[in-house]
Amino acid sequence: MPLTRKAYRAAILHSIADPAEVGIEASYEYFEDGLLVIDDGKISALGHASELLPTLPADIEINHYQDALITPGFIDTHIHLPQTGMVGSYGEQLLDWLNTYTFPCESQFGDKAHADEVADIFIKELLRNGTTTALVFGSVHPQSVNSFFEAAEKLNLRMIAGKVMMDRNAPDYLVDTAESSYVDSKALIERWHGKGRLHYAVTPRFAPTSTPEQLTLAGQLLTEYPDLYMQTHISENLKEIEWVKELFPERKGYLDVYDHYQLLGERSVFAHGVHLCDEECARLAETGSAISFCPTSNLFLGSGLFNLPMAEKHKLNVGLGTDVGGGTSFSLLQTLNEAYKVMQLQGARLSPFKSLYLATLGGARALRLEDKIGNLQPGSDADFLVLDYNATPLLSYRLKQSNNIAETLFVLMTLGDDRTVQQTYAAGTLVHQR
Ligand code: GUN
Ligand code: ZN
């Protein structure tokens, strides 16, 4: 018998496959009057309330929601904790934006009090927006990661993070060395990787800020520990790409730099990839690497439009990223609102079920965690959301006109934001209540 058992009754929706592979109808399960049963923080049953209720003991506690939709928790595959205080910084594109705003803001994270304060704000903001798992960049300071993991551990969240490695082309006050980045990353891995639901990501910022020696050591770390993640940026901005060519003239292109240092693989997530070519997409797919699609950032920093159909053609794993603070919202609903427009500007469509996939199961697959998160299959961690159809007067009125779950879902993604997230559960525990 489980020690704790709870049940949640509402409309329930989750992705079970990529619509690009199986078609839209086979990509999801929807229960208009559904029941989700949680035993000791894991999902033990999902189905129609009428079928499941008779199988349960009469005294089980049931939380029943009207006008609400239960979905898996959202997965943010790219976000920067130390950029929380600089979201919405005016007027620059990537390289000037980094120098003008980002590096000064990140310089404060060697200070424990500051790192603790921002980690707390950052995690509350994730949960308020329904994000239950994120792949997180810290700053160059190990303290940024320690503060984050300490706060995440208290709430038993499934989170992935790493200390930025950067040993050149950044201000003196913010660089490490190849050797110190290796030693500091190793200490963080020993302390946190595999502890509870936490995982470590080796985090070279991007090719221009690492020497060949540092990239070599990043690759070495990946071979020394099983199941480590690797996160970095790629092909976001045209000037950035030119700069990489100047710094690594001996390599075929941007991706080839990372490939050469053995940073591609099944747990490698590359943010942006706005300007990747066909050959690079094929190589990413071949190595099982993933791309994090960050539409609010790509628009805000004027970087360009991500070509999702090309990624699909190559069967490349794609997750969704907010990229705060280049991105402008912690909300994956708002991020999908912008993703839709990025597709529209390219004459393509983004169906609401593909959007749901990107924010949940697609993210889980990019992180190789689809057996644990990103869907509501029995056996999964009970990381889920209650989305409120009456979150705002306009949403409430608009959804009363909706004819089906596809329309409801699309409207939630267009009008929805943090206000839409009524409750967030992590491993079966309520971690946010609006
Ligand atoms: N490339 C290198 N560093 C960064 C960063 O902090 N944000 C974004 N969007 N791109 C980067
Ligand atoms: Zn980023």
Side-chain angles (χ1 to χ4, degrees), residues 274 293 304-309 339-349:
V274 171
F293 170 27
L305 304 174
F306 178 68
N307 190 340
L308 182 62
Y340 179 80
K341 297 169 192 169
V342 165
M343 290 305 112
Q344 279 279 42
L345 285 168
Q346 299 177 93
R349 287 199 182 165

Side-chain angles (χ1 to χ4, degrees), residues 269-318:
V269 179
F270 295 86
H272 307 299
V274 171
H275 305 286
L276 291 170
C277 65
D278 254 304
E279 199 186 323
E280 289 176 315
C281 284
R283 180 65 185 150
L284 284 165
E286 180 184 35
T287 55
S289 306
I291 289 286
S292 178
F293 170 27
C294 305
T296 77
S297 170
N298 296 159
L299 295 173
F300 185 72
L301 294 178
S303 302
L305 304 174
F306 178 68
N307 190 340
L308 182 62
M310 174 154 113
E312 285 179 339
K313 187 181 81 186
H314 289 281
K315 297 191 174 10
L316 186 48
N317 272 327
V318 177

